[in-house]
Amino acid sequence: MNMKERFIKALKGEEVDKVPVVSVTQTAIVELMDKTGAAWPEAHSDAQKMADLAMASHTECGLEGVRAPYCLTVLAEAMGCTVNMGTKNRQPSVTDHPYPKGVENLQMPENLLAQGRIPVVLETMKILRAKLGDEVPLIAGMEGPVTLASDLASVKKFMKWSIKDQEAFQTILDFSCDACIQYANALVEAGADVISVPDPVASPDLLAPETFGTILKPVLQRFADGVNAPMILHVCGDVSPILEMMADCHFTSISIEEKVKDLKGAKAKVAGKVTICGNVSSPFTLLSGDEAKVKADSKRALEDGVDVLAPGCGIAPDTPCSNIRAMVAARDEFFA
């Protein structure tokens, strides 16, 4: 069973010889940028550099999959948001929004897939697919429709609409979902095996669980149903209040942070609906812990039945490569 076969089977809840160890979230590390000569912010806009940096987490750290790109702003920028491209150890961020005044003038960009950095990301997928062949899984990351909608309107206005103007709230969510489906399918056509969808604004830290159930869940279901590939939904924070609703969003798997304290209980809640990726702490274990802590936390997640061993959220850029290798080594020791 090769890495690609193992990962796809594990996501679907099928039997595998060992749990795969992959990052379904951000993978770029400064140490790898230095080693490859492919550093941020240039690697966000250069297909070859993006591909070289993505490959390094597999070839240098041993992760059993390759994931690109490295931010949640590609589709937002293509749809009219202004983006600060960040620095070598800081991801791009949205700084201005095209629809803060309302949804009356929503307009999908003509030829969306030719806008902004989308062509760069699609070219990166093609480069990586050619390098990886059919042996190693290629994971494409993108912002989810909830986060995209908040970027288009501004988080402040989006939150206000969620309470005071639910018609506008629904309208911009549907508009964002349409764009997400189009972009995700283009990523698949360019070579991606799996689409990983961090949607941090869907977190119960920001929006009420009731809103997730009544409004966000149907949007996420439509998104998942519209894409021709396995999908992973990642929502930041302690998602315990929405865990079962996430499992009903029609994604193949969900990714959770260490803030979900009871992994065994989470597994039981979603059994038969989705698998779980996670939940080794990115800030407290992989970034600031030593190799012994990484191994201990990784083995605990394996003991609790995680389906894909992975960082709980995006890998911090200043994380030492040795700690990523330790996560892989922990899996190997667990299944020895």
Side-chain angles (χ1 to χ4, degrees):
M1 189 178 296
N2 65 33
M3 293 179 186
K4 179 176 173 178
E5 292 168 339
R6 182 182 300 117
F7 181 54
I8 301 297
K9 282 179 177 290
L11 286 180
K12 293 179 177 179
E14 299 173 7
E15 187 175 344
V16 291
D17 53 345
K18 57 185 176 182
V19 170
V21 55
V22 175
S23 178
V24 301
T25 50
Q26 200 292 111
T27 60
I29 294 172
V30 170
E31 195 176 327
L32 297 176
M33 296 181 202
D34 292 339
K35 190 172 186 69
T36 60
W40 292 354
E42 294 81 12
H44 296 303
S45 305
D46 181 302
Q48 189 61 59
K49 288 183 178 181
M50 189 184 295
D52 290 346
L53 184 55
M55 279 294 296
S57 63
H58 167 61
T59 57
E60 299 294 330
C61 297
L63 292 178
E64 297 176 338
V66 173
R67 186 196 187 278
Y70 312 107
C71 71
L72 299 179
T73 65
V74 173
L75 190 51
E77 182 184 45
M79 295 181 71
C81 292
T82 303
V83 172
N84 180 314
M85 293 305 293
T87 64
K88 189 174 183 178
N89 63 356
R90 181 171 57 83
Q91 290 171 283
S93 57
V94 171
T95 58
D96 201 15
H97 321 275
Y99 302 109
K101 295 182 179 178
V103 295
E104 294 76 18
N105 297 316
L106 290 181
Q107 185 173 1
M108 193 68 67
E110 188 175 343
N111 196 3
L112 174 63
L113 301 179
Q115 303 304 314
R117 285 173 286 145
I118 289 179
V120 172
V121 177
L122 297 179
E123 180 60 26
T124 300
M125 293 295 126
K126 293 174 185 176
I127 292 170
L128 289 170
R129 181 79 279 155
K131 284 188 176 183
L132 298 172
D134 250 352
E135 300 294 311
V136 180
L138 176 56
I139 306 162
M142 61 175 287
E143 59 265 54
V146 184
T147 299
L148 177 60
S150 73
D151 283 336
L152 294 175
S154 79
V155 173
K156 182 178 179 181
K157 185 58 66 75
F158 186 67
M159 296 300 171
K160 182 178 179 181
W161 289 345
S162 74
I163 299 168
K164 296 187 175 181
D165 190 348
Q166 292 202 345
E167 184 177 348
F169 188 65
Q170 186 70 61
T171 297
I172 201 158
L173 281 167
D174 289 339
F175 178 69
S176 298
C177 187
D178 290 341
C180 285
I181 291 170
Q182 186 178 347
Y183 179 41
N185 281 319
L187 291 166
V188 174
E189 189 175 334
D193 296 304
V194 173
I195 305 297
S196 175
V197 185
D199 212 351
V201 178
S203 173
D205 293 343
L206 295 172
L207 290 167
E210 294 78 12
T211 301
F212 190 99
T214 57
I215 301 176
L216 305 187
K217 185 173 78 171
V219 172
L220 289 164
Q221 288 173 333
R222 183 165 74 87
F223 178 29
D225 291 346
V227 179
N228 303 314
M231 302 266 280
I232 303 167
L233 176 63
H234 175 86
V235 177
C236 299
D238 181 1
V239 296
S240 299
I242 62 168
L243 192 66
E244 291 166 275
M245 291 184 282
M246 287 175 66
D248 288 331
C249 286
H250 300 178
F251 284 69
T252 309
S253 188
I254 59 175
S255 164
I256 62 174
E257 294 186 7
E258 76 285 350
K259 292 176 183 177
V260 178
K261 301 295 185 186
D262 182 8
L263 179 55
K264 278 185 182 177
K267 281 277 295 177
K269 284 182 178 180
V270 304
K273 292 183 177 180
V274 293
T275 55
I276 292 182
C277 304
N279 64 338
V280 180
S281 173
S282 295
F284 302 115
T285 300
L286 294 172
L287 174 63
S288 56
D290 58 17
E291 292 179 37
K293 180 169 175 55
V294 172
K295 286 190 174 185
D297 288 2
S298 297
K299 290 177 182 178
R300 188 177 303 113
L302 291 165
E303 287 165 2
D304 288 346
V306 77
D307 297 287
V308 174
L309 182 64
C313 199
I315 300 173
D318 291 319
T319 297
C321 287
S322 57
N323 277 357
I324 305 301
R325 296 187 193 105
M327 185 170 66
V328 179
R331 189 285 313 270
D332 291 341
E333 291 170 12
F334 188 85
F335 285 94

